[in-house]
Amino acid sequence: MRLGVNIDHVATVREARKTFEPSPLFAALLAESAGADQITMHLREDRRHVKDEDLELIKRAIKVPLNLEMAPTKEMKEIALRVRPNRITLVPERRQEITTEGGLDVLSLKENLKDFIKPFKEVGIEVSLFVEPDLKVIEVSKEVGADAIEIHTGRYANLYNEKKFKEAYEEIQRIKKASLKAKELGLRVYAGHGLNYQNVKLFVRELRGFVEELSIGHSIVANAVLFGFERAVKEMLNLIRG
Ligand code: PXP
């Protein structure tokens, strides 16, 4: 499996003081030199962590692909078509939430998503939808023109962290079925949210060959504060590839 490192929370620490450090750009370069396959960042509507300048700087500086998480809004569409990340991942966004709490409501947004996605495909930007492991949602993701899905692993992560291992294993089976369905439809399959150095091991063991890439942010940044960014990325890579 590949690893995409999400650097949002480096910007969260910076914004705690509204200063210039730590630098998300420096973190992205360290993650890249540690072996990350991709850098991910979420430009939120309220700019609570990553700012527009971070996006522009990182896009120019890194050699690995850039994945921009964003809400499907007009403002974000204009920014993404200008900055040209390699991939966009469409996520739902609610101002009050601490983090992205659920998958995109692909069923209600179906017609809007078709129009939204089209210009990205025309310029060769890969479009991924952040979704729950639900077969109907995956079918509609294909219909609206997505190239890939990123399966929301938050439920799995929470169950594992609460030591509800039987339920966590059941959730993995749900994710496996959803991945198979997506692959049958020709969608690429990624996963992420809430994964950490403990719960990632079972996930990788069970889903190698089903999920191509993991997107991990908070746990890597949390460990980077204590042990350094490169070490945090390398240790996660060892768990994922090892
Ligand atoms: N994938 C998506 C679509 C996300 O919104 C997030 C959180 O920004 C992540 C993955 C990474 O989640 P975490 O920070 O819990 O690793």
Side-chain angles (χ1 to χ4, degrees):
M1 273 186 208
R2 300 191 302 267
L3 173 65
V5 175
N6 180 317
I7 49 82
D8 290 352
H9 296 306
V10 175
T12 302
V13 177
R14 178 189 65 190
E15 293 309 309
R17 284 293 175 91
K18 304 256 174 255
T19 177
F20 58 88
E21 61 184 0
S23 153
L25 168 63
F26 198 21
L29 291 170
L30 287 171
E32 182 178 77
S33 82
D37 299 291
Q38 182 187 258
I39 301 299
T40 296
M41 53 206 297
H42 184 176
L43 188 65
R44 295 185 75 102
E45 191 191 2
D46 61 9
R47 307 297 199 272
R48 71 171 72 150
H49 40 52
V50 167
K51 310 279 185 222
D52 301 55
E53 311 85 82
D54 298 319
L55 174 63
E56 310 236 1
L57 281 172
I58 288 174
K59 171 69 174 75
R60 269 187 264 137
I62 60 173
K63 294 184 195 71
V64 293
L66 175 66
N67 172 30
L68 174 64
E69 292 176 7
M70 54 183 244
T73 63
K74 184 169 174 289
E75 182 200 15
M76 290 301 152
K77 181 190 241 176
E78 284 168 11
I79 293 172
L81 286 172
R82 180 168 47 76
V83 176
R84 304 274 175 114
N86 304 77
R87 182 193 304 165
I88 57 163
T89 300
L90 299 180
V91 300
E93 215 174 274
R94 283 178 288 272
R95 276 190 182 233
Q96 309 316 326
E97 70 190 0
I98 294 177
T99 179
T100 315
E101 280 160 4
L104 195 65
D105 186 357
V106 178
L107 305 187
S108 316
L109 295 171
K110 187 171 168 182
E111 291 312 314
N112 293 345
L113 284 174
K114 278 186 188 161
D115 290 340
F116 194 89
I117 289 173
K118 223 177 274 162
F120 290 99
K121 301 197 73 162
E122 282 165 13
V123 297
I125 296 176
E126 181 186 9
V127 178
S128 177
L129 305 182
F130 187 47
V131 297
E132 298 295 328
D134 175 292
L135 301 185
K136 181 72 192 159
V137 168
I138 288 167
E139 271 173 26
V140 178
S141 299
K142 176 68 185 180
E143 277 177 47
V144 299
D147 302 297
I149 54 164
E150 180 181 330
I151 299 179
H152 197 313
T153 54
R155 194 177 130 74
Y156 161 74
N158 289 340
L159 288 167
Y160 189 101
N161 298 348
E162 289 162 18
K163 301 198 176 357
K164 294 180 180 162
F165 298 119
K166 184 171 168 291
E167 290 91 334
Y169 189 77
E170 285 164 6
E171 182 65 7
I172 281 190
Q173 300 315 311
R174 221 177 129 222
I175 294 172
K176 200 177 269 184
K177 275 197 196 130
S179 309
L180 271 175
K181 176 81 188 169
K183 277 180 180 294
E184 265 172 39
L185 294 170
L187 292 164
R188 288 189 281 277
V189 182
Y190 315 132
H193 208 283
L195 296 175
N196 60 33
Y197 295 79
Q198 288 76 44
N199 64 32
V200 80
K201 293 181 220 165
L202 178 65
F203 193 88
V204 170
R205 198 185 77 197
E206 291 296 317
L207 290 164
R208 203 189 288 285
F210 294 87
V211 171
E212 284 175 44
E213 183 185 289
L214 300 181
S215 173
I216 307 182
H218 184 269
S219 186
I220 289 177
V221 175
N223 277 271
V225 170
L226 302 178
F227 308 115
F229 216 87
E230 284 186 289
R231 181 171 160 196
V233 172
K234 280 187 183 151
E235 292 199 0
M236 188 58 86
L237 277 168
N238 283 340
L239 296 176
I240 291 176
R241 292 182 180 158

